[in-house]
Amino acid sequence: MHFENFIDHSLLKPTATDKDIIQLCTEALHYNFYGVCIHGCHIALAKNLLKDSKVRVVSVVGFPLGAMSTKAKVNEAMDYIELGTNELDMVLNIGWLRSGNYLAVQEEIRQVKEVVGNNVLKVILETCYLTDTEIITTSKIAVGAKADFVKTSTGFGSRGASFEDVVLMKKAVGNKIKIKASGGIKDAVTAKNYIDLGVARIGTSSGVAIVTNQN
């Protein structure tokens, strides 16, 4: 299986240095990963390193908690699009969702997608904090807000992705939008199992291990 076509090679640690980002992009180029997923402060560096390649630059909005204002998320998204990021992974407002403020959650996603435009917007559900019903509800909200993907996790919650989460998300979105599994995916067997469930993208810091079949 060509895992490289699915992998967002990720480095979202707050301690990431320029040297670390250079290594990340070098690996992405070598293995022809789909994209690199980085914080906004590294977009310019990554764009420069990847400018003559097909590797996409993916950045994160409202990360990792999702609890800032809608205006802050919209402005962050706008800034990163102007800097040249190709895709954005946005953390939804988990507190609003769990309060039943579904319209506010959907409107926030809609506003961010409006500034993202034709670029890809993934909505991070942070499934570790949600019930099965909330996972299904939120996935449907993301569809209604015209997002391009739903994503399981930030990697900073109490756990990462699970097969059960993805089954629920797939049940909710069908083929209307895509699914990204992220958090704790470290080997080729696990990655293949997610892809077999219908996942279109894998977010991982273990991309090299996955494509070289290491554990």
Side-chain angles (χ1 to χ4, degrees):
M1 180 173 285
H2 297 290
F3 289 113
E4 62 274 11
N5 298 330
F6 292 86
I7 289 176
D8 283 345
H9 195 35
S10 305
L11 180 55
L12 294 166
K13 294 179 180 178
T15 53
T17 63
D18 287 354
K19 182 179 179 181
D20 295 329
I21 299 300
I22 291 168
Q23 180 179 342
L24 185 84
C25 292
T26 300
E27 290 170 350
L29 288 168
H30 180 76
Y31 292 102
N32 197 30
F33 290 136
Y34 191 93
V36 295
C37 188
I38 55 173
H39 282 292
C41 62
H42 302 301
I43 292 172
L45 175 59
K47 285 293 290 186
N48 185 56
L49 293 166
L50 300 170
K51 62 185 177 183
D52 295 321
S53 77
K54 293 182 179 180
V55 180
R56 277 78 163 178
V57 175
V58 183
S59 195
V60 289
V61 169
F63 195 89
L65 302 178
M68 55 291 298
S69 70
T70 295
K71 184 177 180 181
K73 289 182 183 176
V74 169
N75 287 339
E76 188 179 20
M78 192 180 306
D79 183 30
Y80 296 167
I81 292 297
E82 289 175 356
L83 286 170
T85 193
N86 303 112
E87 303 187 0
L88 289 175
D89 293 11
M90 181 196 87
V91 186
L92 62 75
N93 192 309
I94 302 162
W96 283 355
L97 176 77
R98 302 209 68 194
S99 299
N101 295 333
Y102 302 141
L103 289 177
V105 173
Q106 181 164 318
E107 176 60 15
E108 180 172 270
I109 299 168
R110 187 198 66 77
Q111 287 189 34
V112 173
K113 177 57 182 175
E114 189 174 336
V115 301
V116 169
N118 292 327
N119 296 284
V120 170
L121 175 65
K122 309 187 198 84
V123 177
I124 304 173
L125 309 189
E126 200 68 297
T127 52
C128 62
Y129 299 131
L130 307 181
T131 65
D132 289 0
T133 299
E134 286 169 340
I135 291 171
I136 292 170
T137 298
T138 313
S139 298
K140 291 179 178 178
I141 287 171
V143 172
K146 307 299 183 184
D148 301 286
F149 276 77
V150 280
K151 176 179 171 181
T152 59
S153 320
T154 62
F156 288 79
S158 56
R159 66 166 174 81
S162 77
F163 299 132
E164 293 78 11
D165 294 340
V166 169
V167 168
L168 291 169
M169 293 160 73
K170 186 65 176 176
K171 177 182 177 182
V173 306
N175 294 318
K176 295 174 184 174
I177 63 176
K178 298 177 181 178
I179 298 172
K180 176 176 174 178
S182 184
I185 303 169
K186 300 181 182 298
D187 60 81
V189 172
T190 306
K192 184 179 185 303
N193 287 337
Y194 277 110
I195 292 166
D196 288 345
L197 286 174
V199 163
R201 202 80 60 82
I202 300 285
T204 181
S205 58
S206 303
V208 174
I210 289 171
V211 298
T212 56
N213 243 355
Q214 300 171 18
N215 295 315

